[in-house]
Amino acid sequence: MNIVIASSEVVPFAKTGGLADVCGSLPIEIAKLGHRPFVFLPAFRQAKESGQPLSDTHVKLEIPIGSRIVSGRILQSVLPGSNVPVYLIEQDEYFDRKELYRESGEDYKDNCERFVFFCRAVLEAIRLLDLDIDLIHCNDWQTGLIPAYLKIEYENAPGYENMASLMTIHNMAYQGQFWHWDMLLTGIDWKFFNWHQMEFYGKLNLLKTGLVFCDSINTVSPTYAKEIQSAPLGCGLEEVLSCRRDVLSGIINGVNYDVWSPENDPYLNERFSADNWQAGKASAKRLVQSELGLPEIENAPLIGIVGRLADQKGFDLIAPVMEQWLKNHDVQWAVLGTGEAQYHHLLEQLAARFPGKLAVRLEFSDRTAHLIEAGSDIFLMPSRYEPCGLNQLYSLRYGTVPVVHATGGLVDTIADTNGENLAQNRATGFVFDMYKPASLESALMRACDTYRNDKSTWSQLINTGMRQDWSWQTSAQKYVDLYELTIQRANQAVCA
Ligand code: ADP
């Protein structure tokens, strides 16, 4: 199969979150399975400054935006360590900016126009580059217009008749909503601006547009695929998703173990693996304690947290529990993250009050993220909702036992420490159901109690977690199966 993967973020060209990791890793695995992926993203300033070699294809674009024609160019690169072609859509007025979507807390005013341009450019580039494409894999609202253009404008265009589209949702909370007059920029007939198709309470909704017009939909875990079919996690689009549930599925993201594994982590003093982790894990704990300025206590559990400091990640639960525990319990905390100002203030305050127990780094640091994953005993991830989540998967490989809320990808990847799971050697962490501080506290209590008083169960959890395989290989095969199914589905629809 020849597949276009269209995304606004691709590692190592442009990244603000997990979307970039997926679109940088998945195409390489698809290629290994014998297929031909072509990756498309905007030539953002971040991409041009990424240090990746970019060359000019000399292919020029003339794209209709409302009543104007806007020109652009196609640049070319490859995904590092592979031959997978990457095409970057260059239009400096739209994409040569400091950030990807927003600056100083405000979205760029022309975001709709920028991504109308990108979506149309991807479709035109397929023809201009003479690619024979079977399916376009769209990711999030930035690419939501592609399935609509395919069905409306390219339906009878030579070469596009049988092209299928898949829409992957990485987070329902981001939908790309714009005022209705932006419909004029899309060039799509007003008759499609209705509540069954492109409209959402009077606004143009680009994610909804993609979900309505694509041939298949998936999201990044099976549980999240179910959760988004009802409120509140459907974020208003639950009806659309439940109407299309026959074409909706979930595939867990993979982990890039070349980057996230204690066996080859360059930041560690002593590497370790599932076969022999005791000494390496203890050394990583000392390293993170000394780097973050925590006393080197061996027997107190060290709880690690890495991620966006936002309610989505459970900080409204963590805040009250952490404060109580700092007063009353003999445990250490290491927190790395950036995000909402209220949590910055709170964490700074608590770290000043309890310097020997809490270390906080309010920054984005790959090195510190690796050290906390490796050196902590417990990884805390009580997300309110979690489409997939990567940090809990990294934790498993580093022998750091996750404590998680039972939601989305966390349910699909972490098995609770109960009698049945222990007997079947499946248990890997501590899971709580109710999204309440008391439930989080009781899960943490169970984890700390096991750590202190039941060393053999603790070792069993580490051994089970470290031996699990969440690599891209398995997930990529599932994407290939879904691509095949989607192409069949699209062709049946054409014949019907
Ligand atoms: P998200 O919802 O933010 O995409 P994920 O768990 O899927 O959450 O992925 C987050 C990624 O970003 C992980 O690779 C994590 O290690 C990384 N990350 C988050 N915050 C930081 C930070 N402050 N410093 C370094 N890496 C971070």
Side-chain angles (χ1 to χ4, degrees):
M1 284 179 290
N2 293 344
I3 309 290
V4 160
I5 296 173
S7 170
S8 57
E9 300 185 28
V10 179
V11 160
F13 298 93
K15 170 169 178 170
T16 68
L19 166 67
D21 293 317
V22 175
C23 295
S25 300
L26 175 64
I28 296 177
E29 296 300 323
I30 299 287
K32 284 188 197 155
L33 292 171
H35 304 282
R36 293 183 65 207
F38 302 88
V39 177
F40 281 80
L41 83 154
F44 289 117
R45 185 184 298 171
Q46 214 189 82
K48 288 187 173 177
E49 292 176 354
S50 65
Q52 299 303 310
L54 304 183
S55 59
D56 191 351
T57 59
H58 301 290
V59 175
K60 298 212 165 17
L61 295 160
E62 301 271 290
I63 302 295
I65 299 288
S67 55
R68 292 184 304 138
I69 299 288
V70 177
S71 35
R73 247 188 349 157
I74 306 177
L75 307 178
Q76 186 169 17
S77 188
V78 289
L79 287 179
S82 78
N83 294 321
V84 175
V86 177
Y87 293 109
L88 298 103
I89 305 297
E90 186 188 59
Q91 211 304 325
D92 283 346
E93 279 169 46
Y94 292 142
F95 303 128
D96 184 23
R97 300 188 188 173
K98 193 162 161 241
E99 304 290 343
L100 267 50
Y101 318 118
R102 52 194 345 243
E103 255 177 70
S104 316
E106 278 209 34
D107 288 350
Y108 291 130
K109 297 262 182 295
D110 58 351
N111 270 349
C112 186
E113 182 171 341
R114 299 167 79 215
F115 290 101
V116 167
F117 181 88
F118 177 63
C119 290
R120 279 192 175 280
V122 170
L123 285 159
E124 276 306 287
I126 291 172
R127 187 170 60 79
L128 296 168
L129 295 165
D130 204 14
L131 307 176
D132 182 14
I133 296 302
D134 299 299
L135 177 141
I136 307 184
H137 179 177
C138 306
N139 293 275
D140 279 351
W141 68 265
Q142 294 87 345
T143 54
L145 283 168
I146 291 176
Y149 286 130
L150 257 187
K151 287 265 157 62
I152 297 168
E153 289 196 5
Y154 286 79
E155 199 186 4
N156 299 313
Y160 292 84
E161 305 95 329
N162 299 325
M163 217 177 276
S165 62
L166 164 68
M167 190 80 223
T168 298
I169 306 162
H170 296 263
N171 192 333
M172 274 310 293
Y174 302 94
Q175 299 185 2
Q177 296 200 56
F178 302 97
W179 74 328
H180 60 286
W181 288 115
D182 278 350
M183 263 307 276
L184 294 173
L185 299 172
T186 67
I188 294 175
D189 196 305
W190 277 105
K191 75 178 182 197
F192 295 101
F193 190 73
N194 64 72
W195 68 276
H196 290 293
Q197 293 175 305
M198 301 175 75
E199 185 212 336
F200 184 70
Y201 293 102
K203 288 190 161 182
L204 169 62
N205 185 316
L206 298 190
L207 180 62
K208 176 174 176 178
T209 301
L211 298 177
V212 167
F213 285 97
C214 67
D215 299 300
S216 296
I217 304 169
N218 86 305
T219 183
V220 288
S221 69
T223 296
Y224 192 60
K226 285 192 206 108
E227 290 170 340
I228 57 180
Q229 292 177 45
S230 39
L233 296 190
C235 300
L237 295 183
E238 50 274 4
E239 290 291 321
V240 177
L241 290 161
S242 96
C243 278
R244 300 217 68 195
R245 63 184 172 276
D246 51 330
V247 301
L248 167 61
S249 59
I251 302 175
I252 289 278
N253 289 334
V255 173
N256 182 351
Y257 287 127
D258 290 339
V259 177
W260 291 98
S261 169
E263 278 174 79
N264 43 32
D265 191 323
Y267 297 122
L268 300 183
N269 293 338
E270 214 177 305
R271 314 267 164 93
F272 57 97
S273 70
D275 295 328
N276 191 355
W277 51 264
Q278 274 83 357
K281 186 97 189 117
S283 146
K285 184 168 179 175
R286 286 193 301 276
L287 180 63
V288 75
Q289 284 168 326
S290 80
E291 285 240 350
L292 298 181
L294 289 169
E296 288 185 27
I297 305 170
E298 201 189 323
N299 297 324
L302 173 58
I303 303 171
I305 300 174
V306 178
R308 287 183 285 121
L309 305 182
D311 283 350
Q312 187 213 322
K313 296 291 176 188
F315 275 88
D316 50 341
L317 294 193
I318 294 172
V321 172
M322 186 190 267
E323 185 158 9
Q324 280 309 312
W325 277 47
L326 285 167
K327 284 185 200 148
N328 304 325
H329 294 266
D330 200 9
V331 301
Q332 293 181 324
W333 301 73
V335 184
L336 169 68
T338 57
E340 292 170 19
Q342 53 164 328
Y343 296 123
H344 281 225
H345 295 318
L346 178 80
L347 288 166
E348 273 170 342
Q349 231 181 46
L350 290 175
R353 275 172 63 198
F354 302 95
K357 285 188 171 176
L358 168 63
V360 172
R361 293 289 178 276
L362 301 174
E363 59 188 11
F364 199 93
S365 160
D366 197 45
R367 176 185 159 79
T368 313
H370 277 76
L371 293 187
I372 292 180
E373 285 289 359
S376 302
D377 299 298
I378 293 167
F379 192 86
L380 184 55
M381 196 159 169
S383 308
R384 179 184 286 270
Y385 72 91
E386 192 57 78
C388 176
L390 288 170
N391 282 308
Q392 83 281 12
L393 297 175
Y394 304 155
S395 302
L396 291 177
R397 181 50 64 107
Y398 281 87
T400 302
V401 177
V403 173
V404 302
H405 174 220
T407 185
L410 300 174
V411 174
D412 295 330
T413 55
I414 305 300
D416 187 43
T417 302
N418 57 35
E420 193 184 335
N421 285 339
L422 279 172
Q424 293 175 1
N425 244 334
R426 292 182 59 235
T428 50
F430 295 84
V431 183
F432 65 95
D433 287 321
M434 301 289 284
Y435 191 76
K436 290 190 170 153
S439 315
L440 162 62
E441 187 168 16
S442 104
L444 258 188
M445 202 74 96
R446 283 198 292 141
C448 290
D449 188 47
T450 311
Y451 172 85
R452 284 205 169 93
N453 304 319
D454 187 353
K455 287 288 176 207
S456 92
T457 298
W458 194 257
S459 295
Q460 183 183 338
L461 297 179
I462 291 179
N463 285 326
T464 308
M466 287 188 82
R467 284 176 204 285
Q468 289 189 340
D469 180 4
W470 295 98
S471 61
W472 265 110
Q473 259 172 339
T474 323
S475 302
Q477 184 56 54
K478 289 188 178 154
Y479 270 100
V480 165
D481 296 344
L482 180 57
Y483 292 161
E484 278 165 358
L485 180 71
T486 305
I487 292 165
Q488 265 176 28
R489 193 174 273 153
N491 290 342
Q492 277 161 7
V494 169
C495 297

